[in-house]
Amino acid sequence: MFNPHCVVFCVIPKHSSYKASPMSFVIVRKNYYGGNWASFSFSGLLSWIKENQQNTDISDECEDWRKLILENEEVISLSKKDKTIQHVEDFCFGDQDSAENVEEAGALLKLPAFGASDADRVAQESEKECTPVENTLAEVESQEPEKATGTEPASTVEGNDPEITSESESSHDAALGESTPETGSAPSESSAQGPKKITYAQIVREGRRFNIDLVSKLLYSRGLLIDLLIKSNVSRYAEFKNATRILAFQEGKVEQVPCSRADVFNSRQLTMVEKRMLMKFLTFCLDYEQHPEEYQDYENSTFAQFLRTRKLTPSLQHFILHSIAMVSETDCSTLEGLQATKKFLQCLGRYGNTPFLFPLYGQGEIPQCFCRLCAVFGGIYCLRHSVQCLVVDKESERCKAIVDHFGQRISANYFIVEDSYLSESTCTNVCYRRISRAVLITDQSVLNTDAEQQVSILTVPPEDVGKPAVCIIELCSSTMTCMKETYLVHLTCPSTKTAREDLEPVVQKLFDLNEEKETENEELEKPRVLWAVYFNMRDSSGVEKKSYDGLPSNVYVCSGPDSALGNDCAVKQAETIFHKMFPAEEFCPPPPNPEDIIYDEDEIAPEESGFSNSPETKPESSTEESNSGDSTAVKKEDNEE
């Protein structure tokens, strides 16, 4: 994942060996890493909500920056507003007044949210308009949260683990065989007493226990991101927890879906005949390419229509379509459905009883892990640093430099720009999709069991034909994303309307939004929503570079998050951009041993730093020079965000 909300550029070193010298420079206009891939503490998210509701402009720091542009140069202005987030609505279902004078435990002082000259103005406005809770911007502590004690051990992906590196497990027995059950799940301490009432003041006070992702994803255990984490050894910076169960919503009830062979034969939901049907179909899906006669007559049909021809019961069709393949009932072809089912099955048993992993402290840890590796090898990150424009040479039509908000020219050979930086004039012909997102804090799980520490994924099919299904990921406190005795619930779907209009009907089905309502039968009581936020996020993942007007050949555009459950789109995009810049280099190679790192400061000429307050800059090397010889790919670590 390339760094969202940033302009990235690098100076190409002379040799292909690892160097302990500045190789890349990442400029981020926000005051936190990750852009739309970021995670926040609760107070940090409140500040993020306020910022997006106000949609404040970033003022120019240097008004005479145009004096730096030469006669043979032209500029491509960049957008000063981040328009990727819209329709932000947050709701508290508790007593907000009780939290007026409550401060977040261990919170740091608020940092300026915009440019340096705006810091005083923002602070003054915050003192007048915001509550003490909203005044505490916790983007820093959200990245390094206070670690909770007494939680269950997490699974750690290690590159030298023979179980991880072995690829011989893709056989039928590995995919459908019995896998080690999840360990460390603590029995429910409050099952007899019922859930304790959590107040809004408690959420505010324990705000640093929350790590709330702007984008909700899981990692397929055999997906491209896991392979990249192992190959690059970035996995040593993170820990992961298995998603413990796959759920289905059918006939108004939430139930667990059997996935592995052990789950199927231990299931009490399925009859013996259904178990045999399911096992036979899943075995076929693992090597469906070897039996084209089974599906070639249905290649032009939907996967749902194909399932009806397999003599599967309606319950099994629902499980396969919505909880295993996780595809649309109307838009997914037979081949796409078979491929999705096979991918799900091949990921079973590698690290646990489901195909998915979740990073402790949230999805926002993944960009930070790549940031750390980049910094180890000399990468420089600048937060709260906005950019005015790209400087383009008229003759070569290549981008030479950028001008920042201090009026400083920064030269480079390549530029990677996140889509939100581009102006409306550049994006005239671009048609964006959108993602509807909701984040809920609840007091209990959607499916209570004896083991309360569960990470669950649930797909709720649409009621109306043509509408998208809603993907729900429910996280427990042992994921380090929420305080004890609460759950963090993420809802995601492609947008058709505003996020609230798309997702609130599903929230009302599964959760109780009425604080005063009390149910006599506690077993039928829905989880109570304590706090919720809805917002729409831009999805630019399908936009091709040719759709943007007037971008030079050495400027590459990376998108923000997409609506898919996994991260394959971001990894593929990062690798594609990397190989366009450095076709002869390996993408994200394994890092060397510390003793192999070469410290050679003499080879780094002062002018290679690329910083200048003068329009006279070092002539730009040609594409051939940059890509020939022993040029090093220095941006492989920038795919984190």
Side-chain angles (χ1 to χ4, degrees), residues 168-185:
S168 63
E169 302 163 356
S170 59
S171 65
H172 294 184
D173 290 338
L176 294 175
E178 296 186 20
S179 56
T180 305
E182 178 74 5
T183 58
S185 295

Side-chain angles (χ1 to χ4, degrees), residues 107-343:
L108 302 179
L109 293 176
K110 181 173 180 177
L111 296 176
F114 312 107
S117 70
D118 294 331
D120 295 337
R121 177 177 56 81
V122 172
Q124 291 172 2
E125 290 180 357
S126 299
E127 288 177 4
K128 295 177 181 178
E129 300 176 4
C130 300
T131 65
V133 176
E134 292 167 333
N135 271 337
T136 308
L137 182 61
E139 71 281 354
V140 176
E141 62 266 30
S142 70
Q143 312 299 347
E144 297 293 339
E146 176 183 348
K147 296 194 176 183
T149 58
T151 54
E152 73 174 86
S155 303
T156 305
V157 178
E158 297 292 346
N160 57 0
D161 190 336
E163 178 190 359
I164 294 172
T165 57
S166 173
E167 294 300 327
S168 63
E169 302 163 356
S170 59
S171 65
H172 294 184
D173 290 338
L176 294 175
E178 296 186 20
S179 56
T180 305
E182 178 74 5
T183 58
S185 295
S188 175
E189 298 176 359
S190 58
S191 58
Q193 303 173 357
K196 296 180 181 179
K197 186 172 181 179
I198 306 296
T199 65
Y200 183 69
Q202 285 178 276
I203 294 175
V204 172
R205 188 178 299 108
E206 297 293 327
R208 294 188 69 217
R209 298 288 184 184
F210 289 89
N211 286 285
I212 303 173
D213 294 319
L214 295 183
V215 60
S216 177
K217 290 182 178 290
L218 294 174
L219 283 70
Y220 280 91
S221 64
R222 294 186 188 276
L224 296 180
L225 183 55
I226 286 290
D227 293 341
L228 185 63
L229 289 170
I230 295 172
K231 173 189 174 184
S232 61
N233 207 19
V234 172
S235 58
R236 70 182 184 269
Y237 295 120
E239 292 181 284
F240 299 86
K241 180 179 174 62
N242 292 114
T244 54
R245 59 185 184 178
I246 311 293
L247 304 179
F249 184 76
Q250 191 175 17
E251 298 178 354
K253 296 186 301 182
V254 177
E255 50 191 1
Q256 189 164 346
V257 177
C259 300
S260 67
R261 175 175 295 174
D263 289 341
V264 171
F265 286 105
N266 290 330
S267 173
R268 296 181 180 179
Q269 305 163 241
L270 306 179
T271 65
M272 188 58 67
V273 174
E274 285 180 318
K275 291 177 182 180
R276 293 194 183 112
M277 286 181 178
L278 182 59
M279 286 302 304
K280 182 179 179 180
F281 180 77
L282 296 182
T283 303
F284 157 71
C285 289
L286 274 171
D287 59 355
Y288 73 91
E289 297 100 331
Q290 307 302 320
H291 306 283
E293 70 281 358
E294 296 282 343
Y295 63 86
Q296 60 186 5
D297 293 338
Y298 304 97
E299 288 184 358
N300 296 325
S301 304
T302 65
F303 187 51
Q305 292 171 336
F306 173 71
L307 291 177
R308 296 188 193 106
T309 68
R310 302 297 296 185
K311 298 180 181 179
L312 298 167
T313 64
S315 179
L316 292 181
Q317 292 178 37
H318 183 92
F319 286 166
I320 294 168
L321 188 66
H322 297 294
S323 300
I324 295 179
M326 299 181 187
V327 294
S328 168
E329 189 171 351
T330 56
D331 300 331
C332 178
S333 68
T334 297
L335 281 177
E336 290 171 340
L338 290 172
Q339 291 168 359
T341 305
K342 181 178 179 179
K343 179 179 180 179

